[in-house]
Every structure is written in C-alpha cells, then in structure tokens.
Amino acid sequence: MEHCVPPNANQLINPAPPAEEDLIRMKIAIQGEFGSFSHEAALGLVEDALIVPCSVSADVFNALVDGSVDAAVIPIENSLAGSVLEHFDLLLQHDVKVVRESLLRIRHNLIAISGTTVEEIDRVFSHPVALAQCRRFLADHPKMESYAFYDTAGSVKQLMELRDRHAAAIASEGAARYYGAGILRSGIEDNPENYTRFFLVRRALDAASDPKANKISIAFSVENRPGTLVAALNQLSTMGTNLTKIESRPVHGRPWEYVFYVDCQLHSTEEGSETLDALKPFCAMVKELGRYREAADATDQGTDSGEK
C-alpha cells in the first residue's frame, strides 16, 4: 500500500525478516500515526496486534480488502462531535463486516518537549476536533495560537522532530510516551463526558459469526416517494426492535436521495436476520454492516474521539 507503512517502519532502517510469532499476529490497519488514539483503540480490541498506520481512511479499507492486513480499527462515533461520516460510506462501499465495537474515554493532554514550561508555548498543533474540544483551555491561554494538523499523534511526532520548545501538541498520554515527549497539562478537554465508539472491521469472508451478538448495524435506502421511510421504520417498531441510532448520508450522483444507517439491539442473533428480512419489502437496498456484541463500558485509556 502506497500510503500505509508496515509495523514500526518509521523506526527501522534495515528491517529484519519477520519473526515467526509476527507471522501469526493480527495485522490491523488504522488511520493515523503510531501512538495515535486509533492505535490505542486497536490494541484494546486485539491485544498484541501489529499496527499498520495509513495516511487516509480510504487506504485503511483498501489495505483490508486487498489482504495487506487482517483487520481495521476505525472510529465511528464520538459522543460530542458526532459520527465519522466518511467511515459509514466506506463500510457500505466495501465487502467488509463489523465484528466488534469498543468505547473509549477521551482524555486530551498538552504535550511538549520535556523540560518545556507552559509559559514558553505560543503555538499548539492537533487535529481540528481535538482543538475544538479544548477551547476553554486555549481561551485561558491566549498566547497559544492553535493550528490544525492531520493527526493528534502526528502533531507530537512533528513536535519531537522539530525540537521546537515554543510549540506544543494536544494528544493522548500514549502519544507522549511513544515519542518521548512530556505532558505539561493533563485532562484539558472541556467536557469529561466524552467517549468514542470504535469498530473492528474484517473482510466479509473472514468475519466469524458471534453467537452472543446483541447488536446489528444496517444500511438501507428507500424509494423516493412519500411514506417509504416511515413504512420501513414502522416495520421495525412492529417487530419490537430497539433502534439505538439512525444516520442519513446522501447518495453520490443522485441528489436528494439518501442511505440510512441504523443500529439495532438484538435479543438473539437470529433476530438480526429477521430485521433484515422485514426491511427488504420496503427498501431499494439493504446491507448488513455487522452483527456484534454491544460494548458495555468505556475504557479510560486517554484516547480520542472522531479525530484519528
């Protein structure tokens, strides 16, 4: 993959052949740098995975589909910033399935070169979502001018490469550890009730059925005529299906037509198939995006939101 780098490629000039144990470890693609929030989420979902960072989300899915990696971990929704809409589109476009989900507590930190003081900082870099979630801290430090960057961990990586004592980054504790930076202030986010939902995604052929699955994600479209969406939703209501989320996305090239993405709780994995069958008579298209166990509790790992 042109925009995906192999595990630890940024640290090894002459990489040795993979060890035998590496050949059986799951390779997981993420969007973002080593030490990013998605990196932490991936290790939380699959312990001891080999992480393959990619520049953009499309490359994550391309690496998964062409077999370069075994799975992908993507942020799908943040409790404050909302859904990562691009990822809904990519899930629909590719022959993949969601197999697990996790919830992660967000904790943003002001990170700089070790030994730097807060008073020295006049520039702060991070992903736009992270900057937006730390507005109060930045307003309390008017000397600090904020700059959007493509990745939270990437901003820490840049900081350490430039060795600029007047610059800082906003990222996770894990990013500071990975790049050997120091944390000047921890927990600088405006709202502590901030969580991210991540999906573990596999190729459809490799997605094993989970007998304890109690949640399903579905994409469907309806014909552009009065009452079709209401009829589809009424069918779910008649079945007693608990709809926990609905999101609409425009159909590319077909103005004013939409794909609807829904999450439903299941009492049994068989109920998922019944839900799909119930929607089909009312829909022009129905696709199951995944059937998996609902994440019960958020893990506080200092991780991020929709930013990568």
Side-chain angles (χ1 to χ4, degrees):
M1 293 298 298
E2 181 181 353
H3 296 100
C4 294
V5 295
N8 299 319
N10 62 333
Q11 295 180 317
L12 301 177
I13 298 174
N14 297 304
E20 183 176 349
E21 59 268 21
D22 286 348
L23 296 176
I24 60 174
R25 290 166 64 191
M26 182 178 286
K27 288 184 180 180
I28 295 183
I30 62 169
Q31 191 281 313
E33 298 284 353
F34 289 110
S36 68
F37 301 115
S38 291
H39 184 172
E40 293 188 36
L43 294 180
L45 282 161
V46 181
E47 188 176 358
D48 202 35
L50 287 170
I51 304 302
V52 180
C54 298
S55 298
V56 295
S57 296
D59 291 335
V60 172
F61 279 81
N62 289 337
L64 176 58
V65 171
D66 72 18
S68 300
V69 297
D70 303 301
V73 168
I74 57 168
I76 197 67
E77 182 183 13
N78 174 251
S79 60
L80 298 179
S83 299
V84 185
L85 300 177
E86 178 188 12
H87 291 169
F88 283 107
D89 295 339
L90 290 166
L91 286 169
L92 179 61
Q93 292 167 15
H94 294 89
D95 191 20
V96 298
K97 288 288 181 65
V98 178
V99 296
R100 286 187 64 190
E101 75 168 2
S102 67
L103 296 176
L104 296 176
R105 163 74 166 85
I106 300 162
R107 191 178 299 279
H108 292 308
N109 305 276
L110 185 70
I111 297 170
I113 295 170
S114 294
T116 303
T117 65
V118 172
E119 290 70 29
E120 293 177 85
I121 303 301
D122 57 26
R123 281 161 291 133
V124 178
F125 296 84
S126 194
H127 189 279
V129 174
L131 293 172
Q133 292 180 347
C134 299
R135 286 196 183 100
R136 189 177 301 122
F137 175 85
L138 293 170
D140 290 341
H141 297 82
K143 180 184 174 182
M144 298 181 186
E145 190 170 357
S146 59
Y147 293 88
F149 206 69
Y150 74 97
D151 178 62
T152 50
S155 64
V156 180
K157 180 182 178 182
Q158 173 192 248
L159 176 72
M160 298 306 291
E161 289 173 347
L162 297 177
R163 307 298 298 178
D164 186 347
R165 298 184 65 86
H166 295 286
I170 292 177
S172 71
E173 180 183 349
R177 288 198 308 268
Y178 190 91
Y179 294 105
I183 295 178
L184 301 186
R185 294 286 188 276
S186 61
I188 65 171
E189 64 275 4
D190 294 346
N191 192 331
E193 294 301 317
N194 198 343
Y195 301 88
T196 298
R197 189 160 65 116
F198 282 87
F199 279 162
L200 176 66
V201 184
R202 302 206 67 179
R203 290 180 292 276
L205 289 175
D206 299 331
S209 176
D210 184 349
K212 295 185 179 180
N214 61 355
K215 193 172 184 180
I216 188 171
S217 293
I218 301 170
F220 68 89
S221 63
V222 295
E223 295 182 7
N224 189 14
R225 53 188 175 81
T228 52
L229 177 58
V230 173
L233 296 179
N234 279 343
Q235 187 64 21
L236 296 180
S237 177
T238 300
M239 292 178 58
T241 301
N242 186 20
L243 191 71
T244 61
K245 177 181 175 63
I246 183 168
E247 188 88 35
S248 66
R249 292 285 289 147
V251 177
H252 295 175
R254 296 164 64 181
W256 321 125
E257 294 189 28
Y258 300 88
V259 174
F260 296 92
Y261 297 89
V262 298
D263 291 343
C264 304
Q265 290 179 328
L266 304 175
H267 297 100
S268 67
T269 187
E270 293 78 15
E271 186 180 340
S273 299
E274 294 169 3
T275 301
L276 294 168
D277 291 339
L279 283 172
K280 288 176 182 177
F282 302 92
C283 299
M285 179 277 296
V286 178
K287 180 184 177 182
E288 178 183 340
L289 302 179
R291 211 175 302 192
Y292 48 92
R293 277 184 250 188
E294 185 174 19
D297 299 302
T299 302
D300 188 350
Q301 294 184 359
T303 50
D304 81 327
S305 58
E307 67 273 19
K308 289 79 172 180

